[in-house]
């Protein structure tokens, strides 16, 4: 925890959030280096600060946004954040679809993800083909590792094998009102899994070896089908994530990496072996009581990350060092007791710095984030929440 960053905001009343802009941009540049020439599509859910997204997208090696919500994508296009947005999750929001159909600029800029005929039927039910323009589509492929009945990876698309994808192609490629432009295959069991044991490392290795040839066969199958119909090949094949940039970018079939959390360098990445981003974002909480000589209580703290429950999903106390939570309370929504030698020196109102386990999620608690560069406060940027945007 850098002393100059703490000093720059020492006068502020907590709670607040802090961004080290220098570290974030250095992390962003390092991700480009790791990608070795493969462009990175910025994952918005890992940032949720529009000004920071703008700064990153200005860097060489980045293009387009991987959004998590159609309403968010419409806002990003309307606000000028990007004219190339892929919505990484299927939508069932009828009003958002109507807004998409009513805006030709948005139709040209936004790509929807689908993985079933049900998705196509849902879109057509909102507006038949003759009442809307052509919708850009990206097919979501299940990139998980299957070992018999064991499914290792996110429960996303039902399209796993080449034959399953081939069966869906006839529906999506020949149906009026749709244009297939991309494939998405997110290997969460590789990119989003910490290196906590040899078993996990072996699983990630095995999954990488299995996925690469399967992904290539799927891409070749899709492009062959498009060619047979006289249609252009796929514009993009999106894969990977911050945790698997090197491996995914090495695949010829992948044209871009979807990543963003490595820019923040959240605490989850402390458990990865392949790379170590700099911490770039914190939330700062005030000491509000002292229940024991070596224990203080801070206001709030319950920023437990999404995903499987475990220690790696909890916030990390960055400063003062070696403070630990109470086993009976843990990180609480309204209070978090912390114990350790450093607690004896803390006074009411003093700052306790914490790093979120996952990037992006903690910004939902703050309207803005204090931006520090070269050891001084240079700005305060609105989060999605601060711009009165909540995408669920």
């Amino acid at each position: 925890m850098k002393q100059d960053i703490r000093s720059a905001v020492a006068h502020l009343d907590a709670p607040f959030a802090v961004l080290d802009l220098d570290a974030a941009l250095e992390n962003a540049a390092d991700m480009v280096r790791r990608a070795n020439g493969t462009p990175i599509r910025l994952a918005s859910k890992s940032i949720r600060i529009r000004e920071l997204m703008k700064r990153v997208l200005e860097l060489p090696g980045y293009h387009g946004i991987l959004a998590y919500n159609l309403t968010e994508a419409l806002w990003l296009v309307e606000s000028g954040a990007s004219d190339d947005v892929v919505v990484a999750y299927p939508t069932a929001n009828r009003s958002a679809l109507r807004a998409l159909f009513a805006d030709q600029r948005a139709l040209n800029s936004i790509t929807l993800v689908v993985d079933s005929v049900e998705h196509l039927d849902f879109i057509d039910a909102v507006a038949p083909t003759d009442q809307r323009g052509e919708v850009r589509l990206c097919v979501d492929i299940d990139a998980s590792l299957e070992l018999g009945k064991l499914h290792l990876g996110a429960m996303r698309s039902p399209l796993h094998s080449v034959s399953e994808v081939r069966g869906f192609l006839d529906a999506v490629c020949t149906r009026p009102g749709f244009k297939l432009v991309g494939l998405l295959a997110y290997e969460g069991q590789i990119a989003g899994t910490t290196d906590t044991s040899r078993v996990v490392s072996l699983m990630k290795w095995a999954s990488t070896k299995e996925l690469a040839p399967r992904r290539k066969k799927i891409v070749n199958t899709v492009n062959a089908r498009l060619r047979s119909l006289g249609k252009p090949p796929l514009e993009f094949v999106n894969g990977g994530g911050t945790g698997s940039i090197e491996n995914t970018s090495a695949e010829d079939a992948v044209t871009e990496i979807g990543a963003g959390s490595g820019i923040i360098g959240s605490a989850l990445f402390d458990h990865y072996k392949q790379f170590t981003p700099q911490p770039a974002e914190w939330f700062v909480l005030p000491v509000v009581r002292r229940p024991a000589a070596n224990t203080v209580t801070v206001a709030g703290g319950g920023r437990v990350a999404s995903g499987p429950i475990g220690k790696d999903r909890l916030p990390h106390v960055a400063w003062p060092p070696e403070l630990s939570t109470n086993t009976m309370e843990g990180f609480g929504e309204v209070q978090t007791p912390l114990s350790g030698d450093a607690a004896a020196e803390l006074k009411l109102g003093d700052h306790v710095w914490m790093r979120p386990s996952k990037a992006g999620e903690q910004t939902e608690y703050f309207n803005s984030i204090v931006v520090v560069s070269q050891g001084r406060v240079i700005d305060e940027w609105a989060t999605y929440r601060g711009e009165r945007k909540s995408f669920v």
Side-chain angles (χ1 to χ4, degrees):
M1 184 67 240
K2 298 177 183 177
Q3 172 66 45
D4 60 344
I5 295 178
R6 296 205 316 272
S7 298
V9 297
H11 62 289
L12 299 178
D13 284 332
F16 55 87
V18 177
L19 172 71
D20 180 352
L21 180 60
D22 303 326
L25 294 180
E26 287 177 22
N27 287 338
D30 187 59
M31 287 167 60
V32 171
R33 178 195 60 77
R34 292 173 56 209
N36 195 30
T38 301
I40 298 175
R41 184 179 292 275
L42 183 60
S44 63
K45 80 178 186 68
S46 299
I47 308 294
R48 306 188 208 192
I49 304 165
R50 200 154 52 101
E51 183 60 31
L52 177 57
M53 291 164 58
K54 174 187 173 184
R55 299 292 181 99
V56 172
L57 288 171
E58 290 172 348
L59 298 175
Y62 287 86
H63 86 89
I65 294 175
L66 189 66
Y68 59 94
N69 182 286
L70 176 54
T71 306
E72 175 204 17
L74 289 164
W75 175 60
L76 291 172
V77 170
E78 180 185 11
S79 65
S82 178
D83 60 359
D84 181 6
V85 183
V86 176
V87 183
Y89 300 87
T91 185
N93 188 323
R94 295 177 179 85
S95 62
L97 284 169
R98 293 188 191 100
L100 175 67
F101 301 153
D103 186 341
Q104 188 59 50
R105 179 188 175 198
L107 273 171
N108 294 339
S109 303
I110 295 173
T111 302
L112 301 182
V113 162
V114 297
D115 59 39
S116 69
V117 174
E118 287 177 278
H119 290 142
L120 306 181
D121 291 343
F122 189 93
I123 294 170
D124 274 343
V126 174
T129 307
D130 60 355
Q131 297 179 19
R132 60 171 168 82
E134 193 171 52
V135 178
R136 293 169 53 86
L137 294 183
C138 171
V139 175
D140 193 4
I141 306 301
D142 176 31
S144 64
L145 176 65
E146 292 188 346
L147 300 174
K149 295 184 177 180
L150 187 62
H151 180 100
L152 300 174
M155 299 295 291
R156 292 172 63 106
S157 169
L159 304 174
H160 184 86
S161 67
V162 175
S163 61
E164 287 169 336
V165 174
R166 187 182 291 115
F168 182 55
L169 279 178
D170 283 338
V172 73
C173 290
T174 61
R175 190 152 172 166
F178 298 101
K179 181 182 180 182
L180 178 59
V181 298
L183 286 181
L184 185 150
Y186 170 60
E187 55 267 39
Q189 75 282 4
I190 305 171
T193 304
T194 55
D195 297 312
T196 52
S197 69
R198 178 168 173 76
V199 172
V200 171
S201 296
L202 285 172
M203 180 277 293
K204 293 171 75 168
W205 174 84
S207 188
T208 300
K209 297 290 285 185
E210 182 278 333
L211 176 59
R214 175 163 60 91
R215 182 152 45 193
K216 183 175 182 178
K217 288 179 182 178
I218 289 173
V219 171
N220 289 341
T221 298
V222 173
N223 278 331
R225 181 57 175 147
L226 289 170
R227 189 165 52 248
S228 72
L229 295 169
K231 297 186 178 184
L234 294 170
E235 295 177 15
F236 66 88
V237 177
N238 184 287
T242 293
S244 65
I245 289 177
E246 291 88 349
N247 294 334
T248 310
S249 62
E251 296 183 33
D252 293 338
V254 175
T255 66
E256 62 179 40
I257 305 294
S261 53
I263 294 165
I264 301 303
S266 52
L268 194 68
F269 293 117
D270 294 351
H271 306 282
Y272 281 69
K273 295 178 180 178
Q274 205 164 12
F275 67 102
T276 307
Q278 299 181 58
E281 194 173 286
W282 302 263
F283 59 95
V284 183
L285 304 177
V287 173
V288 293
R289 59 170 55 159
R290 183 183 300 283
N294 69 336
T295 300
V296 294
T297 300
V298 297
R303 317 288 205 266
V304 179
S306 60
I309 297 173
K311 289 184 178 180
D312 62 353
R313 304 289 159 161
L314 298 176
H316 170 76
V317 181
W319 193 89
E322 299 181 6
L323 289 178
S324 59
T325 56
N326 182 293
T327 55
M328 295 296 291
E329 290 192 54
F331 290 92
E333 180 188 10
V334 293
Q335 74 162 34
T336 299
L338 297 167
S339 300
D341 291 342
E345 304 300 321
L346 293 174
K347 304 182 293 297
L348 294 186
D350 281 354
H351 294 169
V352 173
W353 291 64
M354 296 189 183
R355 289 168 61 207
S357 172
K358 291 184 72 175
E361 295 179 8
Q362 76 117 354
T363 62
E364 298 294 338
Y365 292 87
F366 296 99
N367 290 332
S368 63
I369 191 163
V370 178
V371 184
V372 177
S373 177
Q374 300 296 312
R376 63 186 183 87
V377 176
I378 63 167
D379 212 337
E380 187 170 351
W381 292 344
T383 63
Y384 275 18
R385 168 177 163 155
E387 297 201 67
R388 303 182 70 178
K389 300 296 180 182
S390 177
F391 304 112
V392 293

